[in-house]
Amino acid sequence: MADLTLLSRTGRFTYGSPRALTAFADRVLFLRSTGPEDPVERLWSLDLPSGEERLLADPTALTGRSPDLPAEERALRERLRLWAPGIGSYDSDGVHAVFALGGELFRTDLATGVTEELATASPAFDPRVKDDKVAYVSSGRLHVLDGATTRVLATEPGISWGTAEFVAAEELGRTRGHWWSPGGDALLVTRVDERLVPRRRLADPADPEREAEPLAYPQAGGHNAIVELHLLGLDGTRRQVMWDDRRFPYLSAVDWAERDRPVITVLDRLQQHGRLLAVDPATGATTELHAFAHPQWIENAPFLHEGRILEIVEVDDTQALAIDGVVVTPTSLYVRRVAGSHGDDLLLEAAEEEPAEQHVYRLARDGALTRITGEPGVHSALTGGPTMVLTSGTMETMRTRRIVGDLELRDLSAAVPYRPRPVLDRVTEHRLPSSVLYPTGHVPGEKLPVLLDVYGGPGYQAVALEPGRWIRRQWWADQGFAVVTVDNRGTPHVSVSFGRAIFRRFSQVALDDQVAALRELAGKHPDLDLSRVGVRGWSYGGYFAALAVLRRPDVFHAACAGAPPTDFRWYDTAYTERYLGLPEDNPDGYTADSLIPDAPGLERPLLLLHGLADDNVYPLHTLRLSAALTRAGRPHATVLLPGVSHMTPDGVAENLMAMELDFLRRELQRG
């Protein structure tokens, strides 16, 4: 059994683990701290010919940086879900690596290991390297450092150049806003105009007593940022990339890594139609390579790979890979991602019968398909040139290994002192993936209060054989709960119809599925005491936790709801409209999914938690629900967390767990 102090000291057993890997022909770059209780990430290199690891850059030895992260760097870390201090992200062209640290810019020579601080505008943000040139953003301006000369390549009052707007970074998977040409003589650069987007004020995470700069937050049904893409030559030439941006306002992907013509992906506002476009660098004109659409929402956009269009398509209620329109994988395989190429082969991440597992498959040019990972768990692949890195997490070892041929990156994290043994099952007529986790040493016949540990929303699979998902759940179980986790319809990786069941309505499907699963599991596990059921979750899981006690008090007896989006009319455009549509087109759906009208009916204990610096789910969500509960005279508890954003950093998360534990023990004992 691990206590909360150990979870906090070790970053939930992640400090010392390699992450942010980049593969090249002769080396693999990665970030890692120096040990199991060190949170500060350094830049390392694994030399493939010799098998030796080398420390390239240590932020504790670098000087000239400010103690606090600038706002832009904090925002990037939030988008990338980075908790640890140190070098949060880097860019490399195989010769140099560059990174921003406290607003200052550093460059590391990979051959010599020498790191130098570059003379740049400050605060520097999101550096990108090409040969001896570095492009970076500072205060909305795009700068280029060429040798010893720095110049501003793009600047405009009230406009941000070279950054990803909120919805691109948070919801569309595009976290950057500038890309070098293969020859290093030009850049593709976003121009982001947020002047029509409403601004929200938040507490500063670095100083809770100080207000942060107002955040442009596009709210469902309202204005988005206006995003353009420009070709900026180092010789002073400027061309705007032209496409039908009124019909396709979202720029979701840009690729100019190894081809003469850049390729971009654009989507319409509801993400039901898209285009894959080639860009003519000489004129900025675009040519359609492929049109794609879905009557609900586009889950996987196609992309160009070695002259072929690769697309994950829906066939017989599964996801298959199509190459130039021809399906090349069997319907027994659920393809989740194309991980890259290795030689002439493609590497796929996919699953067969068990959605809790993910394996890596090799697809040869002749169509032969071979699974290259064996042990039950969650496996993924990364490629760079001839190098392939396999990342494998298994429950048996509670470790994640990163293997490069005969070599393995050293994992310096602390060993997890327990082995969670979740009992997996598929329940109800919908075959919902589920798990029950008992306390260590549980004696059959002893009745246990039930804790539903839930997410339940699109895009996240809770029941998966990946070690990190079970560390905190086992801690909760060891506090005396039977911990139940269920992936209701609307969550990914089970089947096409399963994932799309929440189209235009979130709440009812999730609530019906979780209740039905809980009851069926109790029939199979007689030690589950359904007269004492608590529910906890964060973000969408916080929404579900509050929803559960508001609408099904006959099933759920207490809830801890962290950062809940209490009314999706106040959430962001891209996420919300993808599933619910525009508020004016689906008013009944938005009303049905809002928690505010349910406030007068609360009859179970509810603990609301929210960070005052949360730029994802604005604290107003919790404040408005709390206000509605107060007006209705419904007792509840609200805890507002100064300096905490949507991520809960190590230490804070464990303190919140202790708070939740006290609340649940007290209220379920009363019930």
Side-chain angles (χ1 to χ4, degrees):
M1 180 185 300
D3 60 22
L4 287 177
T5 302
L6 181 60
L7 289 177
S8 178
R9 290 204 320 267
T10 63
R12 302 162 218 161
F13 307 103
T14 62
Y15 295 163
S17 294
R19 69 162 200 88
L21 280 61
T22 305
F24 297 100
D26 58 346
R27 60 170 55 89
V28 174
L29 301 180
F30 59 97
L31 299 177
R32 187 186 62 200
S33 71
T34 60
E37 296 187 14
D38 176 16
V40 180
E41 294 184 325
R42 283 91 166 159
L43 179 63
W44 301 77
S45 174
L46 172 66
D47 182 75
L48 298 181
S50 68
E52 295 181 356
E53 287 184 1
R54 185 159 54 110
L55 175 62
L56 293 177
D58 182 352
T60 65
L62 301 174
T63 59
R65 54 185 170 86
S66 57
D68 296 332
L69 294 176
E72 289 173 315
E73 191 172 342
R74 284 201 306 272
L76 178 65
R77 287 170 179 252
E78 179 80 18
R79 300 286 83 76
L80 298 178
R81 300 293 185 259
L82 303 179
W83 280 265
I87 302 172
S89 62
Y90 65 93
D91 183 54
S92 178
D93 62 355
V95 178
H96 297 96
V98 291
F99 55 91
L101 194 64
E104 307 301 331
L105 189 58
F106 296 85
R107 179 170 57 195
T108 300
D109 186 305
L110 302 185
T112 65
V114 173
T115 296
E116 60 176 335
E117 182 175 350
L118 303 177
T120 60
S122 184
F125 164 71
D126 195 22
R128 302 289 170 173
V129 63
K130 184 66 177 177
D131 302 325
D132 60 346
K133 297 180 283 291
V134 180
Y136 66 95
V137 176
S138 181
S139 302
R141 302 178 180 89
L142 183 74
H143 299 249
V144 171
L145 176 65
D146 188 355
T149 303
T150 299
R151 56 177 161 150
V152 177
L153 205 61
T155 181
E156 189 176 348
I159 302 296
S160 293
W161 286 86
T163 61
E165 77 280 11
F166 181 93
V167 295
E170 187 67 37
E171 310 297 359
L172 302 179
R174 177 174 62 80
T175 58
R176 59 189 293 187
H178 56 283
W179 300 261
W180 280 107
S181 67
D185 58 346
L187 288 130
L188 274 173
V189 184
T190 57
R191 177 187 182 273
V192 179
D193 183 351
E194 297 176 317
R195 287 176 291 188
L196 295 178
V197 180
R199 298 273 166 171
R200 292 182 171 182
R201 294 188 176 275
L202 297 165
D204 191 328
D207 183 358
E209 296 183 1
R210 184 177 63 192
E211 199 172 67
E213 287 294 317
L215 169 73
Y217 188 95
Q219 188 170 299
H223 289 288
N224 271 316
I226 299 170
V227 179
E228 300 173 353
L229 190 64
H230 291 251
L231 278 157
L232 304 182
L234 299 190
D235 60 0
T237 57
R238 303 169 72 95
R239 303 176 187 89
Q240 182 177 348
V241 176
M242 304 303 295
W243 74 91
D244 186 357
D245 55 359
R246 288 183 176 273
R247 185 181 177 192
F248 301 103
Y250 287 146
L251 176 67
S252 65
V254 176
D255 182 9
W256 202 8
E258 298 175 357
R259 53 174 60 95
D260 294 335
R261 295 188 305 167
V263 174
I264 65 174
T265 305
V266 295
L267 301 171
D268 70 345
R269 178 153 177 161
L270 295 184
Q271 298 152 73
Q272 294 175 327
H273 300 85
R275 298 290 185 269
L276 188 66
L277 304 173
V279 179
D280 183 350
T283 65
T286 56
T287 303
E288 181 180 304
L289 299 175
H290 185 58
F292 51 100
H294 195 281
Q296 294 175 323
W297 71 85
I298 293 164
E299 188 72 35
N300 300 283
F303 61 97
L304 192 65
H305 178 76
E306 296 180 352
R308 302 182 293 173
I309 294 175
L310 307 188
E311 185 173 12
I312 295 176
V313 297
E314 298 175 356
V315 180
D316 295 338
D317 209 27
T318 192
Q319 291 188 168
L321 177 65
I323 300 178
D324 290 334
V326 178
V327 174
V328 295
T329 55
T331 55
S332 59
L333 195 69
Y334 191 97
V335 178
R336 300 179 180 179
R337 191 176 78 94
V338 179
S341 59
H342 191 231
D344 291 332
D345 303 337
L346 292 174
L347 298 179
L348 311 179
E349 295 168 0
E352 294 177 68
E353 294 183 359
E354 177 51 71
E357 296 186 28
Q358 175 176 287
H359 288 277
V360 178
Y361 296 77
R362 184 185 295 274
L363 179 65
R365 283 267 184 178
D366 63 5
L369 185 68
T370 307
R371 194 171 101 177
I372 61 176
T373 54
E375 192 173 355
V378 174
H379 307 264
S380 60
L382 169 74
T383 63
T387 302
M388 175 177 66
V389 183
L390 288 176
T391 298
S392 299
T394 65
M395 297 294 292
E396 190 60 37
T397 62
M398 288 300 290
R399 282 279 189 181
T400 297
R401 303 177 64 196
R402 298 149 187 92
I403 300 167
V404 191
D406 296 329
L407 304 175
E408 182 172 349
L409 274 67
R410 288 189 303 147
D411 190 326
L412 307 180
S413 63
V416 180
Y418 46 76
R419 293 291 180 270
R421 304 292 184 190
V423 182
L424 301 187
D425 203 350
R426 303 288 293 278
V427 295
T428 82
E429 71 272 24
H430 301 298
R431 302 195 71 235
L432 309 173
S434 65
S435 70
V436 177
L437 198 57
Y438 288 102
T440 303
H442 172 66
V443 178
E446 178 188 354
K447 285 282 190 177
L448 296 169
V450 176
L451 178 61
L452 184 68
D453 186 69
V454 67
Y455 184 74
Y460 181 75
Q461 180 186 25
V463 182
L465 293 178
E466 188 276 318
R469 284 168 167 78
W470 304 93
I471 288 173
R472 284 189 287 181
R473 289 179 194 153
Q474 188 63 58
W475 179 87
W476 279 105
D478 288 343
Q479 309 315 305
F481 296 95
V483 177
V484 172
T485 303
V486 178
D487 283 329
N488 51 260
R489 285 173 294 161
T491 58
H493 304 330
V494 176
S495 71
V496 171
S497 59
F498 190 98
R500 295 188 178 277
I502 45 78
F503 183 62
R504 296 298 185 259
R505 187 69 58 86
F506 278 139
S507 55
Q508 198 61 50
V509 166
L511 192 57
D512 289 347
D513 282 358
Q514 294 284 343
V515 169
L518 194 59
R519 287 175 169 167
E520 184 170 324
L521 287 169
K524 296 182 176 185
H525 297 263
D527 289 348
L528 273 60
D529 182 357
L530 292 194
S531 70
R532 295 179 293 162
V533 179
V535 55
R536 69 175 299 273
W538 195 270
S539 193
Y540 192 100
Y543 165 75
F544 181 88
L547 175 78
V549 290
L550 284 166
R551 297 193 186 172
R552 293 303 304 267
D554 57 319
V555 177
F556 300 98
H557 307 101
C560 299
T566 58
D567 190 316
F568 285 96
R569 282 169 287 217
W570 308 328
Y571 199 55
D572 76 55
T573 51
Y575 177 95
T576 309
E577 295 166 5
R578 179 189 304 149
Y579 306 113
L580 297 183
L582 294 169
E584 58 266 32
D585 295 336
N586 185 24
D588 293 343
Y590 276 84
T591 298
D593 287 340
S594 174
L595 302 181
I596 306 303
D598 295 290
L602 180 67
E603 57 186 73
R604 294 294 189 183
L606 172 60
L607 172 62
L608 299 170
L609 306 128
H610 214 127
L612 289 175
D614 191 336
D615 67 350
N616 179 306
V617 181
Y618 193 51
L620 190 63
H621 282 268
T622 286
L623 293 172
R624 284 180 171 170
L625 177 58
S626 181
L629 291 167
T630 301
R631 285 194 302 271
R634 308 315 301 161
H636 65 288
T638 300
V639 178
L640 301 177
L641 307 163
V644 174
S645 63
H646 199 61
M647 303 184 306
T648 51
D650 301 321
V652 173
E654 286 69 36
N655 290 339
L656 294 180
M657 289 166 66
M659 188 183 303
E660 291 178 70
L661 177 62
D662 289 343
F663 174 83
L664 290 169
R665 278 179 170 168
R666 180 176 65 252
E667 299 301 343
L668 292 180
Q669 186 175 15
R670 287 178 183 171

